[in-house]
Amino acid sequence: MLEVVQDNWDLLQDGFVGTLKLTVVCGIVSLLLGTLIAACRVSPVPPLRWFGTAYVTLFRNTPLTLIFFFVALGFPKLRFNLSFFQFAVIALSAYTAAFICEAIRSGINTVPIGQAEAARSLGMSFTQTLSQIVLPQAGRAAIPPIGSLLIAMVRNSAIASAFNVTELMGTQATMVENGYKSLWVMTWIAVGYLVITLTMSALLAALEKKLAVVR
């Protein structure tokens, strides 16, 4: 069992770092994009609300694998010549952002409407009210569901290995071809994913606890 790690340490290390890099980049992009779409969903401007609703409906009901195929195979035909890693970031971030949007929107709904009305009565614009009054409070309430979505994103990143992205799951085929038993190979790959998800869970729990004190 241990020889799988000893003999393939460099390969596993590259896969782990690739998954970690994909997780960090996609996490940041999906949080920013999800927040922006959530703002569109609650915007007083009808076209923005329609866009937000259409985006969430489309991406939440489309299989992630299909989105990967569309981005990796469709974008080059539109003369978007990017690396496979960049394609993976676009696909995974766009998909995750739709779910994060709904988590943030649920958090927004927990903020008393009177606070937004008071802000408007003071002359604050919608953007100011959302960014300074509503989102800071909604973010605290949305941390648990967003945390679950980010952890799910780590698992979803395994699909990227099928599109030539250096990732933990992508190391499996090479090691099995080299004669190592699939059971032990998959066990160590699972350990790698577990390290990332448990670390994320601990960080999010600490963040939630810290913000709960502020609340």
Side-chain angles (χ1 to χ4, degrees):
M1 181 178 180
L2 290 177
E3 66 268 13
V4 174
V5 178
Q6 294 170 348
D7 297 344
N8 299 278
W9 176 252
D10 291 340
L11 182 64
L12 286 169
Q13 186 179 44
D14 289 343
F16 182 85
V17 172
T19 297
L20 192 59
K21 183 180 177 182
L22 190 61
T23 297
V24 172
V25 176
C26 289
I28 294 172
V29 174
S30 60
L31 282 171
L32 294 175
L33 182 58
T35 302
L36 180 61
I37 298 170
C40 291
R41 293 274 276 159
V42 299
S43 171
V45 182
L48 291 179
R49 290 201 306 272
W50 298 337
F51 168 77
T53 301
Y55 184 97
V56 170
T57 301
L58 175 64
F59 281 91
R60 288 185 71 186
N61 293 284
T62 303
L64 179 56
T65 304
L66 184 59
I67 295 175
F68 264 93
F69 272 112
F70 177 80
V71 172
L73 301 180
F75 276 31
K77 293 185 178 180
L78 297 176
R79 297 177 186 259
F80 289 101
N81 297 313
L82 305 174
S83 68
F84 285 110
F85 180 83
Q86 291 171 319
F87 284 141
V89 168
I90 293 172
L92 191 56
S93 299
Y95 177 80
T96 306
F99 294 88
I100 288 180
C101 164
E102 291 302 276
I104 294 175
R105 191 167 71 96
S106 297
I108 291 174
N109 291 334
T110 66
V111 180
I113 192 171
Q115 295 193 26
E117 292 175 346
R120 284 196 294 269
S121 70
L122 294 174
M124 296 179 69
S125 65
F126 169 77
T127 302
Q128 291 174 322
T129 301
L130 188 65
S131 61
Q132 299 177 30
I133 305 296
V134 178
L135 279 181
Q137 299 178 71
R140 298 187 187 117
I143 287 177
I146 287 177
S148 298
L149 291 170
L150 292 177
I151 290 172
M153 184 190 69
V154 177
R155 298 193 297 269
N156 289 337
S157 68
I159 298 177
S161 63
F163 295 86
N164 291 332
V165 176
T166 301
E167 201 267 346
L168 261 176
M169 194 63 190
T171 64
Q172 180 263 344
T174 302
M175 286 188 284
V176 171
E177 287 176 0
N178 289 337
Y180 296 95
K181 292 183 179 180
S182 297
L183 175 62
W184 300 129
V185 169
M186 296 305 295
T187 297
W188 284 111
I189 288 175
V191 169
Y193 282 113
L194 194 61
V195 169
I196 295 175
T197 54
L198 289 180
T199 301
M200 287 180 63
S201 297
L203 291 174
L204 289 165
L207 180 61
E208 184 180 2
K209 184 177 180 180
K210 181 178 180 179
L211 292 179
V213 174
V214 176
R215 207 185 322 172

